[in-house]
Amino acid sequence: MTTLEQGHDTRTRILAAARKLFAERGYAATSLADIAAAVGLTKTAVAYHFHPKDRLAAELIAPCADDMLDLLGAQFPDRAAFVTALVEFTVRHRAVTRLVMEDLGGADEAPPGSPGEAIRTFRDEIFAKLVGAEPSAQDRLRGWAVLGALQWGVVHTMDLPEETVRDTLTTAALAI
């Protein structure tokens, strides 16, 4: 194995460990030292590949963001089809959803160009697709209820099989 291949393998192992630990503990509660211990490296070795820790988060979020753009750009025949696709997306990316959840609280006040602004933009576009252009008060409430159920549902069920979470959340979100 060449040095370049070893470096790529190390990065891949670090990313896998970070994804798992962020999903289990949350971003703020996971240190570079925790990730290093999970991979069997020193903190310095992890920092060599990903310093500051935000670089790790950004690399984990990138594929999710691409899928989000695809979801938002797709046309759906009705609300139920969009909700089903949204649940599938959320469950498929539930480790990243856990990571992002820590930033949602401050998304409304996030400055331009920040990750929080991107999160707010995605959230607002999803909400608009859920409720339409001129939602009633009931539709607005239903939209926020669906988003809340998906966010908290995936964050607090990381220990359950993906299929169980997806099926249960689809049923619940379509009933809202």
Side-chain angles (χ1 to χ4, degrees):
M1 183 181 299
T2 68
T3 303
L4 183 60
E5 289 169 336
Q6 289 170 336
H8 178 70
D9 181 55
T10 300
R11 286 178 58 82
T12 301
R13 290 177 33 235
I14 292 168
L15 285 167
R19 181 182 297 107
K20 181 179 183 298
L21 291 172
F22 290 161
E24 291 171 358
R25 303 177 186 179
Y27 177 76
T30 303
S31 68
L32 288 180
D34 296 331
I35 296 165
V39 180
L41 297 171
T42 66
K43 179 180 170 185
T44 304
V46 173
Y48 171 79
H49 291 281
F50 297 101
H51 184 74
K53 186 170 79 169
D54 293 351
R55 285 185 53 210
L56 255 172
E59 197 153 332
L60 290 173
I61 291 172
C64 178
D66 290 342
D67 284 357
M68 175 61 70
L69 292 172
D70 291 343
L71 176 72
L72 292 173
Q75 297 298 315
F76 297 92
D78 54 29
R79 182 180 183 277
F82 176 68
V83 168
T84 300
L86 179 60
V87 170
E88 178 66 36
F89 165 85
T90 305
V91 173
R92 183 174 58 251
H93 293 291
R94 61 186 176 160
V96 173
T97 299
R98 168 74 190 259
L99 172 63
V100 170
M101 281 295 292
E102 294 180 359
D103 290 328
L104 284 180
D108 288 326
E109 295 82 31
S114 69
E117 179 190 35
I119 291 167
R120 179 180 62 234
T121 300
F122 283 142
R123 181 203 62 200
D124 292 349
E125 288 187 34
I126 291 168
F127 183 76
K129 277 193 109 133
L130 278 172
V131 301
E134 295 183 28
S136 66
Q138 287 178 319
D139 288 339
R140 286 179 44 225
L141 184 55
R142 288 176 59 213
W144 289 121
V146 167
L147 290 179
L150 293 180
Q151 291 166 349
W152 292 109
V154 298
V155 168
H156 291 290
T157 58
M158 297 300 294
D159 60 321
L160 298 178
E162 192 171 295
E163 182 178 337
T164 300
V165 176
R166 182 182 53 253
D167 293 349
T168 303
L169 284 176
T170 299
T171 301
L174 289 172
I176 295 176

